[in-house]
Amino acid sequence: MGKQKKARKYATVKRMINLRDQRIKQTERAKSSVKKKDDPSAIKEREVPQHPSCLFFQYNTQLGPPYYILVDTNFINFSIKAKLDLVQSMMDCLYAKCIPCITDCVMAEIEKLGQKYRVALRIAKDPRFERLPCTHKGTYADDCLVQRVTQHKCYIVATVDRDLKRRIRKIPGVPIMYISNHRYNIERMPDDYGAPRF
């Protein structure tokens, strides 16, 4: 003979004491939420983000040839589709020496895409590309690029991703490179540099 199974009661929950209950000690009780009225005569403090000293009237003084260009995953893929050589097309766009930089996160993202994107991986491993090591956890490339660009204003970001472009436009003094009409264009570049305006 086997053991008789005990039938469990449906949807039984342990009874919890409410934090405002009288049986709980006064110190452990939940505080009742009473809002304080704002004093209209009090001086209001607000924190304004401090712009870095390298920006003078939105002109980035740290930008200059040779240009360091942070490359995104989809930028490499779209360059392959448009049959563009990355380094040569960048130089044609900016009229100066360009050093494409690729972070560990972008490299990991390309490796995760698998066999279909092996050409993109081969391009990313090109010796002309500068490899930037990442110290943070996770492999989300967009956050990595935004964080790197806010810390160091010496980069141009190359991307086709709309969301990433929208995030980078909020950061002052960072130009964006993108692909349109089978060529590279640049957005928000200072007027002193020889990048063409289309």
Side-chain angles (χ1 to χ4, degrees):
M1 280 179 57
K3 284 186 178 177
Q4 187 179 1
K5 288 185 178 176
K6 210 174 191 181
R8 290 183 70 193
K9 290 181 182 174
Y10 179 70
T12 54
V13 181
K14 251 187 182 177
R15 284 210 157 169
M16 301 282 285
I17 291 180
N18 190 349
L19 289 174
R20 292 199 181 92
D21 200 294
Q22 297 298 322
R23 292 171 282 182
I24 296 176
K25 291 177 189 171
Q26 187 69 32
T27 55
E28 294 172 1
R29 260 187 230 161
K31 289 3 179 227
S32 58
S33 56
V34 178
K35 284 190 175 180
K36 291 182 179 178
K37 289 186 179 178
D38 291 333
D39 186 21
S41 63
I43 298 168
K44 293 182 179 89
E45 289 181 23
R46 63 187 181 122
E47 204 169 301
V48 179
Q50 190 72 36
H51 291 301
S53 60
C54 68
L55 295 178
F56 183 70
F57 294 127
Q58 301 301 308
Y59 174 82
N60 193 349
T61 56
Q62 288 183 349
L63 272 177
Y67 295 108
Y68 288 88
I69 300 168
L70 278 176
V71 182
D72 193 20
T73 314
N74 53 26
F75 189 79
I76 297 171
N77 294 334
F78 276 85
S79 297
I80 294 165
K81 281 182 188 172
K83 296 185 173 129
L84 293 167
D85 177 37
L86 253 90
V87 181
Q88 190 59 46
S89 299
M90 285 175 181
M91 287 183 187
D92 291 344
C93 177
L94 292 167
Y95 304 139
K97 188 182 179 193
C98 299
I99 301 163
C101 303
I102 196 157
T103 60
D104 287 343
C105 293
V106 174
M107 204 67 162
E109 215 172 64
I110 296 168
E111 285 169 1
K112 278 181 189 173
L113 291 171
Q115 195 65 22
K116 199 175 177 183
Y117 295 92
R118 64 184 178 276
V119 180
L121 187 63
R122 190 174 291 165
I123 289 169
K125 287 183 177 175
D126 192 316
R128 294 178 292 179
F129 279 59
E130 190 176 303
R131 189 79 182 268
L132 302 172
C134 293
T135 52
H136 58 83
K137 289 182 179 178
T139 56
Y140 188 56
D142 289 9
D143 287 343
C144 174
L145 294 174
V146 169
Q147 180 196 2
R148 199 173 283 273
V149 158
T150 43
Q151 284 176 347
H152 315 285
K153 293 281 191 286
C154 60
Y155 294 112
I156 296 170
V157 179
T159 185
V160 189
D161 187 14
R162 282 181 184 167
D163 294 331
L164 183 58
K165 275 189 195 174
R166 199 174 294 128
R167 284 174 72 180
I168 289 169
R169 280 187 193 117
K170 291 175 185 171
I171 306 163
V174 181
I176 302 167
M177 188 179 276
Y178 60 96
I179 302 169
S180 69
N181 299 330
H182 295 282
R183 62 186 296 171
Y184 292 169
N185 287 333
I186 197 142
E187 181 185 301
R188 292 171 45 174
M189 195 72 174
D191 296 329
D192 285 22
Y193 299 127
R197 305 287 183 277
F198 294 109

